[in-house]
Amino acid sequence: MTIGWKTLDVGEQALIYDIQGRARVEEGPKRIFLFRETFKRLARYSANQTEFIIITNKNGLKEHLPGPAVVYKNPLVHENVSISDGISLDANEVLVSYRIEEDCNVQRHIHYGPMLFMQEASEWLHLFEWHGKDPVSKTRKIPGQLKFTKLRVIPDQFYYNVEEVRTADDAVITVKLMIFYELKNIEQMLNSTQDPIADFINCLSADVVAYASKLTYLEFIERSGELNENARYPQLHERCKVIGYEVSKVVYRGYHADDKLQRMHNRAVAERAKLKINFEKEQQEQSLTDFQLEREMERIETEQKMEVEALEHIHKMEKAQMLHRLKLKTEEQEEIIQQYIEQKQSSLQGKKLENDQKIRHYGQLQQMSVDLTQYLLSLSERPEKIVRVIAPSNANNIHFHHDRL
């Protein structure tokens, strides 16, 4: 019990009990005089815009009060008061919750981001418990290792090694894979499976074991690239259709065999590699020899072609020179012939003029009544000898012999 003054500041509340056990709540700012009363300051709980206050009443009713809000914990009414953060969702995240409706039925709700989710009092979140990555090895999965409430709806991937895979000749190997997947239907996934990663692992193992069991160890090594094809995983794709997922690609990352078997295989690979290197070396040497011979033949053909072209050029030049000389000779002969023709024409022209002059002269003499026959005889030279041949009228042949002086 207290007697005296008590002060309440702004934003404070207090619970005051009297001697009869009755209680009242006082709110500041206020100055209170207490007489045989008990003073108890109440705890203040405030939530901002991203928080909400969880209130548990003594009558069992639970309330969620979204911020901004302030609640004073009253021990007469409240069993517990706490503050919780709202759940922020990105654009690629989904939250699944269950809520008791007014008809007492439970309904499932899917909340897509981006948003800030404030949980109601009659609502609880779906907790996913899936196979998760082993802290020691990223290629092994542990049941229940991955626990979360935010579901990612973007394409994702994980590594996984399928162990204890036995081939047709009883060789035990480990196949390394990488799976790319994407969630397509959330409702279908929630209704069909509790752990899709476990479904992926089981179907992958079944498909890989079924594929490897038909092949020997060497055949598996030669054809292991086929594990990159989606057609090699029929059980995986069939199960994905049921649980609302889509596997876009399965990447084969290699294999691991028993150490003894691996050493034997490594020795065989080394021997094959050595033989292949020797084969390629011999092949390269043969190719080099063929290349050298081919180039030598091309060089000889080129030289012969150049010699032929040189001879053809020489013949062409000689022919051109000969044609040039013939042309000059022809031009020279043509010039001589032209000069001869011109000389003859000049001589003929001169004789023609002379004859014309004589004709005019004889014409003038004839006009003057001159006997041209006597005139012409007078102009001719006197002969040294005159031979007169008189033959009989009945003679057919006459023989005439003349001695040369």
Side-chain angles (χ1 to χ4, degrees):
M1 296 294 179
T2 303
I3 299 175
W5 292 93
K6 290 291 184 179
T7 302
L8 289 175
D9 293 333
V10 176
E12 291 183 337
Q13 287 186 3
L15 188 63
I16 301 175
Y17 298 90
D18 58 16
I19 59 176
Q20 295 179 356
R22 294 174 301 202
R24 71 180 190 275
V25 177
E26 297 288 347
E27 185 176 358
K30 185 180 291 186
R31 185 172 176 80
I32 304 171
F33 180 78
L34 301 178
F35 178 76
R36 297 175 69 185
E37 292 176 322
T38 301
F39 180 87
K40 185 176 182 180
R41 202 180 301 271
L42 300 181
R44 183 177 183 271
Y45 294 86
S46 62
N48 58 26
Q49 290 88 343
T50 62
E51 300 172 334
F52 61 94
I53 302 174
I54 302 175
I55 305 171
T56 304
N57 297 319
K58 287 185 177 293
N59 61 1
L61 180 63
K62 189 175 182 180
E63 298 179 86
H64 285 187
L65 185 61
V70 176
V71 172
Y72 296 89
K73 184 179 179 181
N74 188 343
L76 300 177
V77 180
H78 302 146
E79 182 70 28
N80 186 37
V81 178
S82 62
I83 297 176
S84 180
D85 292 330
I87 302 175
S88 60
L89 298 178
D90 294 336
N92 55 8
E93 292 178 333
V94 171
L95 201 65
V96 180
S97 66
Y98 299 89
R99 185 185 306 160
I100 301 176
E101 304 296 341
E102 294 180 356
D103 54 359
C104 296
N105 292 327
V106 177
Q107 295 291 333
R108 182 169 60 200
H109 299 274
I110 300 176
H111 309 276
Y112 294 89
M115 67 171 298
L116 181 64
F117 176 74
M118 295 291 186
Q119 185 178 350
E120 297 183 3
S122 60
E123 192 173 22
W124 66 94
L125 301 179
H126 184 100
L127 179 61
F128 296 94
E129 295 185 11
W130 293 356
H131 275 64
K133 183 173 63 177
D134 187 349
V136 179
S137 175
K138 68 178 182 179
T139 58
R140 294 183 68 250
K141 299 297 179 181
I142 300 176
Q145 179 70 15
L146 187 60
K147 297 181 180 181
F148 59 94
T149 56
K150 295 180 182 180
L151 181 64
R152 301 178 63 184
V153 292
I154 58 174
D156 205 349
Q157 72 281 334
F158 67 88
Y159 296 92
Y160 185 69
N161 290 351
V162 182
E163 301 177 351
E164 302 295 329
V165 178
R166 191 174 295 274
T167 61
D169 53 354
D170 289 335
V172 180
I173 59 176
T174 299
V175 180
K176 303 177 182 180
L177 301 173
M178 185 177 182
I179 300 93
F180 293 85
Y181 63 93
E182 183 178 0
L183 178 59
K184 292 294 186 179
N185 192 323
I186 299 175
E187 291 281 358
Q188 188 177 358
M189 184 270 294
L190 294 172
N191 295 331
S192 304
T193 181
Q194 291 183 348
D195 189 350
I197 301 299
D199 294 341
F200 291 159
I201 292 173
N202 295 333
C203 293
L204 276 174
S205 301
D207 288 331
V208 171
V209 169
Y211 174 77
S213 63
K214 302 175 183 178
L215 306 174
T216 64
Y217 178 68
L218 294 179
E219 289 175 343
F220 176 82
I221 294 174
E222 293 175 356
R223 299 174 55 183
S224 59
E226 296 178 357
L227 290 175
N228 287 311
E229 302 173 2
N230 285 336
R232 300 300 173 183
Y233 306 94
Q235 299 183 58
L236 174 63
H237 290 286
E238 189 65 27
R239 182 58 182 168
C240 287
K241 293 178 181 178
V242 175
I243 64 176
Y245 273 86
E246 178 182 330
V247 174
S248 59
K249 185 69 176 176
V250 179
V251 179
Y252 170 68
R253 299 172 45 247
Y255 74 97
H256 179 73
D258 181 71
D259 293 340
K260 184 177 180 180
L261 180 62
Q262 189 65 37
R263 285 195 296 270
M264 294 174 59
H265 178 66
N266 291 340
R267 287 195 295 270
V269 170
E271 187 65 25
R272 287 199 301 270
K274 183 178 179 181
L275 293 175
K276 185 177 180 180
I277 291 173
N278 292 334
F279 174 77
E280 292 178 353
K281 180 180 178 182
E282 183 67 24
Q283 191 176 23
Q284 290 179 355
E285 290 178 354
Q286 295 294 334
S287 299
L288 180 60
T289 302
D290 294 341
F291 178 76
Q292 290 176 347
L293 291 175
E294 183 179 355
R295 288 293 180 268
E296 186 67 24
M297 291 298 296
E298 291 180 357
R299 188 178 297 106
I300 292 174
E301 291 178 359
T302 303
E303 290 177 355
Q304 292 177 352
K305 184 178 180 181
M306 292 176 63
E307 290 178 358
V308 171
E309 290 178 352
L311 290 175
E312 290 179 352
H313 179 69
I314 292 172
H315 293 163
K316 186 176 180 180
M317 293 298 296
E318 291 178 352
K319 181 179 179 181
Q321 292 177 358
M322 185 177 294
L323 291 175
H324 181 67
R325 287 196 297 269
L326 289 174
K327 183 178 180 181
L328 294 177
K329 190 69 174 177
T330 302
E331 293 177 353
E332 182 179 357
Q333 291 298 325
E334 289 178 353
E335 185 177 357
I336 293 173
I337 292 172
Q338 186 68 25
Q339 291 178 358
Y340 177 78
I341 291 173
E342 292 177 355
Q343 289 177 358
K344 287 299 182 180
Q345 288 179 351
S346 299
S347 175
L348 291 175
Q349 187 69 23
K351 287 184 177 181
K352 182 181 179 182
L353 295 175
E354 182 179 356
N355 290 334
D356 292 341
Q357 181 69 27
K358 287 181 178 181
I359 290 171
R360 288 194 298 272
H361 177 66
Y362 293 155
Q364 292 175 359
L365 292 177
Q366 188 177 7
Q367 292 178 359
M368 295 173 62
S369 300
V370 177
D371 188 358
L372 294 179
T373 302
Q374 294 298 325
Y375 176 74
L376 292 174
L377 289 175
S378 64
L379 292 178
S380 61
E381 296 181 357
R382 185 179 298 274
E384 294 181 356
K385 182 185 293 183
I386 297 174
V387 178
R388 180 177 299 176
V389 178
I390 299 173
S393 59
N394 59 354
N396 294 327
N397 293 322
I398 297 174
H399 179 73
F400 179 75
H401 179 76
H402 180 266
D403 290 333
R404 183 177 297 176
L405 295 176

